[in-house]
Amino acid sequence: MLLMYNACWQCILGSGSSKGLMLSLKDIVPAALNNIDTKFILLEKGRATLEGQNKTCLALVADETAAIHFQFWGDECDAFEPSDIIHLANGIFSYHRNNLILRAGKRGKVEKVGEFTMAFVETPNMSEIRWIPDPNNSKKYIQEAVISPHSRIFPPMP
Amino acid sequence: MALRLIQVLSHESENQTVSSLRQDFELLEPKLRPPFSLTIPSSQEYSQLNRAILYGVLCEPHFAKTHIKHLHAIVTDGYAFIVNLLVKIVSELYPKLVDTAKDQLIWVTETMIDVSAVGVDSLLVSLLRQIIGGDYSDGNLWLCFELVRLLLAKWNFLLDDQPLVLSSALYTYLRLLADHCRLSDDVKLGTLRRLEIELCVKIVREEFHLCLKIGRDLIRLLQDLVHVPEIRAIWKDLILNPSQFKSSGFSDILLLYRSRTSSRYILLRITPEMEAQLRFLLTYVKLGGQKRHQTWFAKKFLSGPDRETLIVDMVRFICCAHHPPNEIIQSDVIPRWAVVGWLLKSCRKNYVEANVKLALFYDWLFFDERVDNIMNIEPAILLMVYSMPQYVDMTHSLLEFLLLLVENYDVEHNDVIVQGVSSAFNILVRKGVIQSLDVLTSSSALSPFLKDRLRKFLSGVKVGVSKQLQPVPLPIPSMLPLKFSAVSSMETPTLSPR
C-alpha cells in the first residue's frame, strides 16, 4: 500500500487513482485521457436529457480554484444533489458534442464523499476557456482566451 | 447475510467509521459466539474485539444479548472504549443509521447506564443533540420518546451519578415542549408531551439546583411554556414563592438572570451536522459569495412547516457558542451579524421572529462585564449599525424591539435590565466594536421618534445608574413576569395572559 502511494507521488499528474492526488480544477487541461482525479462541490444541475438511450445531465461544479461543467451520465443524474461534495476518479476533460466538459466516462467513477463543507469560486470556468494546441507540443492544449469569466449556462446567483 | 448499519445511497463513498467496525466484526466473527475465549486480549485485540462486539450489537439484534454478555466478560476499562465509540457513531452517523440499529442503540445505551459505564453522560448528551427542534417526523418523535422514557426510568442513577445529564435533559425538553405543546390537539403527541412535562417538572420541583446550573436561558425557555398549566405553576412560584424550591441561596429569579448560560447547553439544540455547517459558513465562506451555501443550508434544515423555530436556537448558537478569532473577524469571511440578519429575514411567522430577536438580545438584558462575554452581544449591535445604509428597516425593528424589552421584559426587575442594556452599549463603545453611539442617535436614516427614545434611555442611564429607578414593586396582577401586553402593534411572543 505504502509503495503504491510512493509510486503515485512520483507520477504527480499520472493516472491518479490514489487518494491524496487531487488535481485542482484550475489545473485541468483538455486531453483524451481518463486520468483526472479531483474533488468538487456540485453547485447546480441542469435538466436531464437523452443522449441516444442514455440519460445525461449537465452541471456546474467547482472547487476553491475554479468552476467547470460536469456531465452526469445514466443513474448518476439522480444520485447527486447541489451541495454534494464529489470525488471523481479517472475522469476525462474533453470536447463532447461541442461542449468542453468534465465527466467520469466509461473508466471513471464519481462518488459522494461529503456535503456542504467546501468553499468554491465560480470564476474562472475551465469550460468557458478557448484552448489551442501547444505550438511546442501538439499533443498538449494551452489556454488561448477566456470566452466568459462565468458559466454562460449556469450564471452566478445574484 | 449482509448486515447493515447505515443507509448507503448509490454513488456514495464508504464510511470509514463503519468500514473499520465491519472489518473487525468480519475478522473476529467466529470468536463472537460462545464458548468465548478465556485468553486475555492484548490492548489492540481488546479494541478490535470491542469494535466487533459493537457492530454485532447494532446489526444483529437477535444476538445482541450474547454480544453484551461477551462484552461484560472481557471489559477492563469500565466500558470507556465502547462508549466512546458509541458517541462517535451517534455524532457522525445517527441520521443515517437504519431503524433497527437505532433501536439497538437505545438498548445498548440503557445497558451502559445499568453498568455505570465511563462516559455514559456524553453518550446521553450526544443522543439528546440528535433530537431536532421543529421536527414532527415519526423518527424524531420516536427519539424524543425513547430518551424521555429512559431518563425517567434511570432517574435515580442519573441523579446520583450524572446530574448534569438531567440539566441537559431539562434544557432539551423545555425547548421541545414548545414544539409539542404548539400542536396541543395532536393525539399522537399527547403521551409524549405528558412524559416530557413529567420529566421537566420533576427536575425543577425536586432538583432545582440543576436548574441553576443552566442559567438565564432557562427563563427564556420557560417563558415559551407559560400556557402549560404545570409550567405556569412553576412560574408563579419562581416569582412569588422562591423558597418553595428548597434550594439554598435561591431567593429571586435574578439569580438565574445573572448567570450566563454555558455554550454546552446552547449546543444541545443544534445537531452536530448543523453545527458543522454553520461553523463552516462562518469560517470559510466569503461575504458576497454566500448565496448558494445559504440556500443549501435553508433547504436542508429550515424547510418544513415548523422548522423555522430552529432559527431561535441557531441565533443563540451564533451569539453564545461560535466566537471567531480575530483573523476571521478581520477577513472577508461572512460575519456573524450578516448570518443572523439572513436568518432573521428567513422567519415567516411573527412569533418566531420575535423569539429570534429575543435570542439575539438576551444577553444584553442582563449584561454584566464580570460574567458576560462581549462576543455574545456583538452580532446585534453590528447588525443594527451595518443595516442602516441599505436596510434601515432592520435597524428600526431591532432597536424598537430592544427598547421594548427594556420597558416591558419583566417590569419587576426593570432596574436590572436598564443596567444590563446600558452596560452592553457601554462596553461595545469602550472596546471599539462601534466608534460611538452617534451612529444610531445622530443618524438621519433613523426615525426621530426612535432616536429620541434611545437618547432618553441613554441619558437616563448616565444620570441614574446608582439611584433607585424603580418605585415600590407592585404585585403582578397576572402572575406573568414577562408581560408584553403593553405592546399591541409589535409582533411579540405569545405571552398574553388569559
Side-chain angles (χ1 to χ4, degrees):
Chain A
M1 207 51 187
L2 203 65
L3 264 177
M4 233 174 76
Y5 277 154
N6 283 340
C8 284
W9 272 117
Q10 281 154 16
C11 58
I12 294 198
L13 300 183
S15 64
S17 58
S18 157
K19 281 177 190 168
L21 268 179
M22 301 284 181
L23 203 57
S24 291
L25 293 185
K26 74 167 171 38
D27 297 327
I28 287 181
V29 176
L33 290 169
N34 274 83
N35 62 356
I36 297 171
D37 197 8
T38 185
K39 197 169 86 167
F40 45 73
I41 185 161
L42 172 55
L43 305 188
E44 218 174 314
K45 278 202 297 186
R47 198 178 295 164
T49 50
L50 280 181
E51 220 172 80
Q53 296 271 299
N54 298 303
K55 197 151 106 172
T56 65
C57 177
L58 198 63
L60 179 66
V61 304
D63 70 4
E64 293 89 342
T65 66
I68 199 164
H69 293 148
F70 187 87
Q71 189 192 53
F72 289 113
W73 195 86
D75 68 342
E76 291 167 9
C77 297
D78 298 319
F80 298 96
E81 288 302 323
S83 99
D84 283 352
I85 299 170
I86 298 169
H87 174 217
L88 168 69
N90 299 323
I92 178 166
F93 184 49
S94 62
Y95 287 94
H96 182 74
R97 302 197 169 186
N98 278 330
N99 288 318
L100 189 54
I101 52 168
L102 183 67
R103 63 204 156 100
K106 273 187 187 129
R107 273 171 264 170
K109 191 167 101 167
V110 275
E111 243 184 12
K112 175 174 170 173
V113 292
E115 213 175 288
F116 192 86
T117 51
M118 187 166 175
F120 61 84
V121 294
E122 293 190 45
T123 184
N125 184 305
M126 306 313 283
S127 298
E128 299 285 15
I129 285 172
R130 191 178 306 125
W131 302 80
I132 51 164
D134 186 342
N136 305 319
N137 179 353
S138 63
K139 285 179 181 166
K140 274 190 166 176
Y141 278 95
I142 54 167
Q143 297 193 13
E144 189 201 34
V146 172
I147 303 168
S148 162
H150 293 100
S151 166
R152 288 169 298 168
I153 304 170
F154 306 100
M157 283 179 99
Chain B
M1 186 181 70
L3 299 178
R4 271 206 319 161
L5 184 57
I6 59 168
Q7 289 150 353
V8 181
L9 305 170
S10 72
H11 295 283
E12 197 168 9
S13 72
E14 184 166 36
N15 182 283
Q16 294 300 309
T17 307
V18 176
S19 61
S20 92
L21 290 174
R22 202 199 44 240
Q23 278 163 17
D24 286 330
F25 176 80
E26 284 166 358
L27 190 72
L28 299 180
E29 204 177 354
K31 297 186 183 171
L32 297 177
R33 310 276 181 257
F36 301 127
S37 160
L38 292 173
T39 54
I40 295 172
S42 70
S43 83
Q44 198 205 339
E45 287 165 343
Y46 183 74
S47 320
Q48 275 190 325
L49 201 50
N50 268 274
R51 276 196 290 269
I53 288 174
L54 182 57
Y55 191 80
V57 167
L58 296 176
C59 296
E60 300 185 302
H62 47 293
F63 288 127
K65 284 190 176 148
T66 312
H67 289 308
I68 285 292
K69 260 185 215 156
H70 193 181
L71 178 67
H72 291 331
I74 60 150
V75 76
T76 54
D77 63 347
Y79 302 87
F81 187 87
I82 202 158
V83 168
N84 249 325
L85 218 50
L86 278 163
V87 172
K88 190 174 157 73
I89 289 175
V90 173
S91 307
E92 263 180 40
L93 300 171
Y94 184 84
K96 291 180 160 186
L97 292 178
V98 296
D99 284 351
T100 51
K102 287 181 182 171
D103 284 328
Q104 289 305 106
L105 184 61
I106 298 294
W107 179 79
V108 72
T109 300
E110 199 161 355
T111 313
M112 291 299 105
I113 295 175
D114 290 339
V115 295
S116 309
V118 175
V120 74
D121 52 334
S122 310
L123 176 56
L124 284 162
V125 165
S126 67
L127 282 165
L128 286 171
R129 282 193 79 186
Q130 293 298 330
I131 302 176
I132 300 169
D135 179 347
Y136 297 92
S137 69
D138 288 347
N140 194 53
L141 295 180
W142 172 85
L143 185 59
C144 293
F145 178 82
E146 287 300 320
L147 290 179
V148 73
R149 178 192 62 72
L150 196 57
L151 292 160
L152 283 166
K154 305 296 174 188
W155 173 267
N156 288 333
F157 163 77
L158 293 172
L159 190 58
D160 293 344
D161 274 40
Q162 305 292 352
L164 282 180
V165 169
L166 292 179
S167 311
S168 301
L170 178 63
Y171 188 89
T172 300
Y173 280 103
L174 285 177
R175 163 65 182 85
L176 295 171
L177 270 170
D179 290 344
H180 302 161
C181 292
R182 199 171 298 121
L183 303 182
S184 54
D185 48 353
D186 188 313
V187 185
K188 197 172 62 172
L189 281 172
T191 318
L192 176 60
R193 199 163 45 224
R194 269 195 301 282
L195 286 175
E196 290 172 339
I197 292 173
E198 184 190 334
L199 178 73
C200 292
V201 169
K202 197 171 164 74
I203 296 172
V204 177
R205 289 289 185 195
E206 296 177 20
E207 308 298 336
F208 192 71
H209 59 105
L210 297 175
C211 300
L212 294 176
K213 292 198 193 315
I214 296 178
R216 67 176 68 118
D217 278 75
L218 178 77
I219 303 292
R220 193 177 56 79
L221 296 179
L222 283 172
Q223 159 192 340
D224 254 5
L225 297 170
V226 281
H227 56 287
V228 179
E230 293 87 342
I231 305 290
R232 200 183 171 84
I234 287 174
W235 260 129
K236 221 160 126 179
D237 288 336
L238 273 176
I239 306 303
L240 297 175
N241 203 4
S243 60
Q244 172 80 26
F245 295 102
K246 297 188 189 73
S247 177
S248 62
F250 185 73
S251 54
D252 194 325
I253 199 168
L254 264 179
L255 201 67
L256 280 163
Y257 283 159
R258 283 188 172 139
S259 100
R260 182 170 58 89
T261 299
S262 149
S263 57
R264 55 185 293 266
Y265 292 103
I266 308 291
L267 279 168
L268 282 166
R269 292 296 77 234
I270 298 282
T271 66
E273 205 176 10
M274 290 173 202
E275 181 187 355
Q277 295 202 2
L278 278 171
R279 288 199 198 274
F280 179 83
L281 196 61
L282 291 160
T283 310
Y284 295 102
V285 179
K286 302 212 160 59
L287 182 61
Q290 77 274 21
K291 197 70 182 279
R292 291 192 195 271
H293 274 108
Q294 285 181 348
T295 309
W296 299 331
F297 184 87
K299 185 174 178 227
K300 185 171 177 90
F301 297 117
L302 300 174
S303 63
D306 282 283
R307 287 296 189 94
E308 67 178 292
T309 59
L310 267 174
I311 295 175
V312 179
D313 304 305
M314 288 170 178
V315 166
R316 231 31 219 137
F317 165 80
I318 291 170
C319 291
C320 310
H322 183 83
H323 295 166
N326 280 335
E327 307 88 77
I328 299 288
I329 293 176
Q330 286 151 10
S331 72
D332 53 359
V333 164
I334 185 169
R336 296 188 300 157
W337 63 265
V339 173
V340 170
W342 159 64
L343 287 170
L344 197 49
K345 281 278 166 210
S346 314
C347 296
R348 292 175 297 264
K349 299 191 181 91
N350 287 341
Y351 73 88
V352 176
E353 189 181 323
N355 274 342
V356 172
K357 289 179 193 161
L358 183 65
L360 181 59
F361 283 120
Y362 209 56
D363 292 310
W364 286 60
L365 303 185
F366 316 105
F367 194 84
D368 176 351
E369 241 179 276
R370 288 164 303 177
V371 293
D372 279 286
N373 188 333
I374 189 171
M375 290 298 276
N376 289 24
I377 57 172
E378 182 235 48
I381 191 78
L382 293 184
L383 181 56
M384 285 196 283
V385 169
Y386 290 136
S387 295
M388 281 206 295
Q390 271 191 295
Y391 306 100
V392 74
D393 285 355
M394 175 67 89
T395 314
H396 266 147
S397 114
L398 287 174
L399 195 53
E400 194 167 15
F401 192 85
L402 177 62
L403 292 170
L404 203 78
L405 287 174
V406 170
E407 285 161 24
N408 298 288
Y409 191 92
D410 197 351
V411 288
E412 283 299 299
H413 297 99
N414 181 263
D415 53 338
V416 174
I417 291 171
V418 166
Q419 178 68 49
V421 173
S422 70
S423 304
F425 273 123
N426 200 306
I427 194 172
L428 287 166
V429 173
R430 195 152 36 85
K431 299 272 180 185
V433 174
I434 50 167
Q435 290 298 309
S436 119
L437 290 174
D438 293 351
V439 294
L440 292 170
T441 53
S442 308
S443 153
S444 56
L446 275 183
S447 92
F449 175 64
L450 209 51
K451 275 190 292 193
D452 200 40
R453 278 171 69 196
L454 179 62
R455 269 195 297 259
K456 268 190 193 143
F457 168 76
L458 292 169
S459 64
V461 168
K462 272 178 201 135
V463 294
V465 175
S466 58
K467 82 174 179 210
Q468 185 82 25
L469 288 168
Q470 180 82 356
V472 184
L474 297 169
I476 318 160
S478 66
M479 307 296 184
L480 289 179
L482 309 166
K483 212 154 51 98
F484 284 81
S485 57
V487 198
S488 50
S489 61
M490 282 289 295
E491 66 285 349
T492 58
T494 49
L495 282 175
S496 52
R498 283 183 300 182

